[in-house]
């Protein structure tokens, strides 16, 4: 057995990497914090924090949808000819005003 060749070095690297993967798999399976490549720990996410982030993401998606609709309207205004926009504005002015006197 030759311990000076590159095969020996590659075998050591493969064994070390395999051991690290098996160690993290066992830790994850039993609920322990995982190790990163620098020895730091990565814990499980807090359930309450996860729910809060999901709610925040849903709210942000609604805002994006709202602003996407507004951008579409602005794009239509910018790309339409000025006479078409002016005619639409005048048509709105010509509509009868309905006032509610209650």
């Amino acid at each position: 057995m030759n311990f000076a060749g590159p095969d020996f070095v590659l075998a050591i690297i493969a064994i070390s990497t395999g051991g690290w993967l098996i160690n993290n798999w066992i830790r994850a399976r039993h609920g322990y914090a995982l190790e990163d490549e620098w020895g730091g720990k990565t814990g499980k996410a807090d359930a309450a924090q996860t729910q809060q982030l999901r709610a925040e993401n849903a709210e942000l998606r609604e805002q994006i949808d709202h602003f996407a609709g507004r951008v579409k309207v602005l794009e239509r205004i910018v790309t339409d000819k000025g006479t078409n926009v002016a005619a639409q504005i005048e048509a709105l002015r010509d509509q009868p005003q309905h006032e509610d006197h209650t």
Side-chain angles (χ1 to χ4, degrees):
M1 185 169 213
N2 185 4
F3 294 114
D7 293 335
F8 180 71
V9 173
L10 292 175
I12 296 271
I13 291 171
I15 291 170
S16 298
T17 302
W20 178 75
L21 289 172
I22 291 170
N23 179 34
N24 275 336
W25 177 73
I26 292 170
R27 292 177 71 82
R29 188 170 183 190
H30 294 287
Y32 292 102
L34 302 179
E35 289 183 9
D36 61 13
E37 55 269 7
W38 297 285
K41 302 285 185 193
T42 304
K44 285 188 168 182
D46 183 21
Q49 184 181 15
T50 301
Q51 291 294 5
Q52 181 183 4
L53 289 174
R54 285 184 179 155
E56 185 178 346
N57 283 343
E59 181 182 333
L60 291 173
R61 283 189 180 107
E62 288 177 15
Q63 288 180 1
I64 288 172
D65 291 340
H66 172 74
F67 287 123
R70 294 185 68 153
V71 167
K72 285 180 185 177
V73 170
L74 290 174
E75 287 175 343
R76 191 179 76 222
I77 290 171
V78 169
T79 57
D80 282 347
K81 295 186 181 207
T83 56
N84 189 16
V85 174
Q88 289 178 359
I89 292 172
E90 289 302 320
L92 290 173
R93 287 185 182 156
D94 292 340
Q95 289 180 355
Q97 297 285 331
H98 294 289
E99 294 183 20
D100 189 14
H101 296 288
T102 54

